[in-house]
Amino acid sequence: MVIRLVVIVIGMFGFGFALVPLYDVFCDITGINGKTNASAAVYTAPEVDESRQITVEFLTRTHTGMPWEFRANTKRIKVHPGELTTVDFYVRNPMRKNFVAQAIPSVSPGEAALFLNKTECFCFNQQPLDGGGEATMPMSFYVDPQIPDDISYFTVQYTLFDVTARADELPNADNPYLNRAGRSD
Amino acid sequence: MTKATDLPSHGADVTADHENHHDEHEHHIPKGVMRWILTTNHKDIGTLYLWFSFIMFLTGGAMAMVIRAELFQPGLQIVEPDFFNQMTTVHGLIMVFGAVMPAFVGLANWLVPMMIGAPDMALPRMNNWSFWILPFAFTILLASLFTEGGGPNFGWTFYAPLSTTYSNDSTALFVFSVHIMGISSIMGAINVIVTIFNMRAPGMTWMKMPLFVWTWLITAFLLIAVMPVLAGAVTMVLTDKFFGTSFFDAAGGGDPVMFQHIFWFFGHPEVYIMILPAFGIISHIVPTFARKPLFGYASMVYATASIALLSFVVWAHHMFTTGMPVYMEMFFMFATMLISVPTGVKVFNWVATMWRGSMTFEVPMLFALAFIVLFTIGGLSGLMLAITPVDFQYHDTYFVVAHFHYVLVTGAIFSIMAAVYYWLPKWTGKMFNVGLAKAHFWCSLISVNVLFFPMHFVGLAGMPRRIPDYSLQFADYNQWISIGGFAFGLSQLIFLVVVIQACRKQGEPVSDRVWEGANGLEWEIPSPAPYHTFETPPVVK
Ligand code: HEM
Ligand SMILES: [Cu+2]
């Protein structure tokens, strides 16, 4: 009896941790927390649905304590489902210090996240930027034509976090987006 | 299966070496402190738990006085906002884990063996451990208030990132002490379950078990199911804060909202852990003083079990404002409302028990009646909060504070006081000072309502919780609330006096049955209850 009860206790302790992947899986399937795909989707060139237009709005913010300037060059865009579109975001590091940033997207309403496919995104990787540097970061996406009819408008918000302290690697040169000539101008 | 060595033998065994056993014990009770440190006797351990809980109740109460003193007037006058936050946090933690839960464990220790005709708890040595680690847990928690940067200030719910990114280093102490509290309650719960499964007297079938035993059995299962989840949550907070994981940090791929899901998966069953044993207590007291058997015994058992099961699927009613999709809000709204059905069944049964009974109003009954009325008020405000669209307005206001203080103070704590007054004469053999006890009841009853009822109004008007300052229009009500608070705090000193007098064995001797209408095995043994009871199991007809 005691042993069985102890097994339950250990099992429930494990269950507490199992909630973490369960939560991710659940949210992946239902899209309810507005998270988007974390690595590049392949553009399958689906048939473009010319009959519908979806408005996608882009919001940007920096997390508390993150000094970068961060804005969407395209604030709002109308796209046909299935059509591949690229929008640009601008960042500038106003400090002397080198920073590494990570952008985290969040889609609202959450359900739309399931139909937003990003083929390229600065949020897939950590983004280093030297002191004084600036960069234009592209994001390419298409909206899945399966998107329900009642969604005609959704918002993608990016929050930029300072992850310098625990960056995977320090600023490196092989980052394709970033103009590292911060000091050249 | 249980190791035979840890289990005071049962049945035939007991009768065999009953004589020597008895003598041995009588001669070996160490004197002084060592008696209490080494004790494995369920009554001693019950007493330790109850005293510990009382001390914590007064400590947490003192913190509430600091909070109410600061809120007596708008503006900041007495304490720093950060210290105010530490007070609300530690007040909550102490009351939940230090006062209410240990009090119920103490009552279980005293009463469960006596009610099922067992000589002791099944695992007496573990019982000793599960009590004695508690003082360490709370010493650590209280000591953290004196560390540089202060103690925990993120609320008893320790939401990430408040407890991770924005907390101070004493969070490690907080995590450690919550771990110890959790281990203690898990050990206590295992003990209760094993005792009830293995040590019932012959003839004590499941459906003859007293309701306090039933409700505690179900509570114990809730405890072993959710305390480990709490342990997991604090562990994740610890590693997020100190070891670079990002369970709850969006920048590292985690999710702060997930913290709330994990916490409330523990948290909602936890609130039922704090009320189910209370339901059991009331189900003993009401029949005694109405002199009628409990109405609907079986429905009480099923209602308790269904509350326990449902409590696992309602947690997100604490999170309506986090931005869930509509269908989930609907699900959690209806599931929450469903819980009030079995709760209503219980209230109905208590009232039906009193219907046409020959009622008398001794002190335990007064507390039980106050419980029924005031707990129901708390349940009703709970129902209001369960309505998703209204909760958007009420969430994080004093309305929520009013709700949970009605269910916890006039619910759980009143039931504990009722239980103490009800069984104390059995424990000490003397009737407590009835005049003082009545004074305690009336002072508490009036002040508790002055304290918590106006919180509904300021809450509906939008006063946020956990803020040391407020806007001027709330000033009058807050003065009333604070006055009620001080009065309620002082009233508990009367309780302290009554209990100390009782422990000093002052008062009239009582009969074995104590209360005219009392029924159950614990009333068959002498008063005061001897150190060892039911070494030969009684036979239950
Ligand atoms: C009819 C039964 C009940 C219902 C429908 C109910 C509903 C709710 C809801 C919806 C909330 C969230 C309010 C918000 O934060 O916006 C809440 C909070 C709370 N309830 Fe209940 N409740 C019930 C019974 C109880 C009982 C029996 C207890 C404890 C003995 C309890 C303790 C609490 C606590 C402690 C909180 C606040 C937690 C916090 O945020 O610090 N409730 N309740
Ligand atoms: Cu709840």
Side-chain angles (χ1 to χ4, degrees), chain B residues 156-157 264 268 271-272 274-275 317-318 320 336 339-340 343 375 379 382-383 385-386 391 394-396 400 403-404 407-408 465-466:
Chain B
W156 81 281
T157 51
W264 288 114
H268 189 82
V271 307
Y272 281 98
M274 295 189 282
I275 203 68
H317 64 216
H318 297 273
F320 283 142
T336 304
I339 289 208
S340 26
T343 315
F375 172 78
L383 267 176
L385 291 166
D391 184 67
Y394 302 164
H395 180 62
D396 265 347
V400 178
H403 159 64
F404 67 73
V407 285
L408 284 172
R465 62 190 281 209
R466 293 174 171 159

Side-chain angles (χ1 to χ4, degrees), chain B residues 2 85 91 101 112 152 171 196 207 221 224 240 269 271 277 311 325-326 332 409 417 423 445 483 505-506 521:
Chain B
T2 326
N85 290 343
H91 163 76
M101 291 172 66
V112 168
T171 308
I196 297 175
M207 289 316 265
F221 276 108
I224 61 169
D240 264 19
V271 307
S311 75
V326 175
F332 284 108
V409 178
M417 289 170 178
W423 281 291
L445 181 73
I483 291 169
K505 311 252 172 180
Q506 297 169 4
L521 284 179

Side-chain angles (χ1 to χ4, degrees), chain B residues 192-194 196-197 206 209 212-222:
Chain B
V192 169
I193 296 176
V194 180
I196 297 175
F197 268 81
W206 289 113
M209 255 170 29
F212 181 72
V213 180
W214 255 119
T215 50
W216 237 110
L217 179 65
I218 293 169
T219 304
F221 276 108
L222 283 181

Side-chain angles (χ1 to χ4, degrees), chain B residues 458 461 470-477:
Chain B
V458 289
Y470 49 86
S471 43
L472 293 178
Q473 73 268 32
F474 304 127
D476 291 354
Y477 276 134

Side-chain angles (χ1 to χ4, degrees), chain A residues 1-6 8-10 12-17 19-21 23-24 26-27 30 32-33 35 63-64 102 104 126 161-163 166, chain B residues 1-2 123 166 186 190 193-194 197 221 224-225 228-229 231-232 235-236 246-247 249-255 257-258 261-262 265 325 327-328:
Chain A
M1 180 107 211
V2 180
I3 295 179
R4 258 184 284 168
L5 292 171
V6 170
I8 301 183
V9 168
I10 296 170
M12 287 309 293
F13 186 68
F15 177 74
F17 284 89
L19 282 174
V20 176
Y23 178 84
D24 286 341
F26 187 73
C27 292
T30 58
I32 52 184
N33 65 349
K35 276 193 189 158
H63 192 60
T64 322
Q102 170 75 55
I104 303 285
Q126 298 185 341
F161 288 83
D162 172 11
V163 293
R166 52 158 164 207
Chain B
M1 274 281 128
T2 326
L123 310 162
Y166 301 105
I186 290 171
I190 290 181
I193 296 176
V194 180
F197 268 81
F221 276 108
I224 61 169
V229 177
T235 307
M236 290 183 227
S246 3
F247 287 106
D249 183 359
D255 189 335
V257 174
M258 185 177 68
H261 282 289
I262 298 177
F265 183 83
Y327 58 89
M328 281 179 70

Side-chain angles (χ1 to χ4, degrees), chain B residues 139-300:
Chain B
T139 310
I140 293 171
L141 181 64
L142 289 169
S144 77
L145 286 172
F146 300 99
T147 55
E148 184 146 355
N153 58 4
F154 29 69
W156 81 281
T157 51
F158 61 103
Y159 278 11
L162 293 177
S163 56
T164 53
T165 320
Y166 301 105
S167 67
N168 52 39
D169 286 345
S170 72
T171 308
L173 296 177
F174 157 81
V175 170
F176 191 45
S177 77
V178 172
H179 270 305
I180 303 178
M181 295 168 204
I183 292 170
S184 162
S185 1
I186 290 171
M187 295 203 295
I190 290 181
N191 219 336
V192 169
I193 296 176
V194 180
T195 308
I196 297 175
F197 268 81
N198 291 351
M199 299 183 57
R200 276 169 294 135
M204 177 66 77
T205 55
W206 289 113
M207 289 316 265
K208 274 191 194 151
M209 255 170 29
L211 268 171
F212 181 72
V213 180
W214 255 119
T215 50
W216 237 110
L217 179 65
I218 293 169
T219 304
F221 276 108
L222 283 181
L223 276 167
I224 61 169
V226 300
M227 290 310 281
V229 177
L230 172 70
V234 286
T235 307
M236 290 183 227
V237 163
L238 184 78
T239 58
D240 264 19
K241 179 155 181 66
F242 296 104
F243 304 111
T245 57
S246 3
F247 287 106
F248 309 127
D249 183 359
D255 189 335
V257 174
M258 185 177 68
F259 173 86
Q260 298 187 27
H261 282 289
I262 298 177
F263 180 82
W264 288 114
F265 183 83
F266 147 80
H268 189 82
E270 166 68 19
V271 307
Y272 281 98
I273 287 168
M274 295 189 282
I275 203 68
L276 293 183
F279 292 163
I281 291 165
I282 303 303
S283 306
H284 282 250
I285 294 176
V286 169
T288 299
F289 298 102
R291 293 172 181 74
K292 269 177 65 193
L294 183 72
F295 182 88
Y297 169 89
S299 67
M300 285 297 210

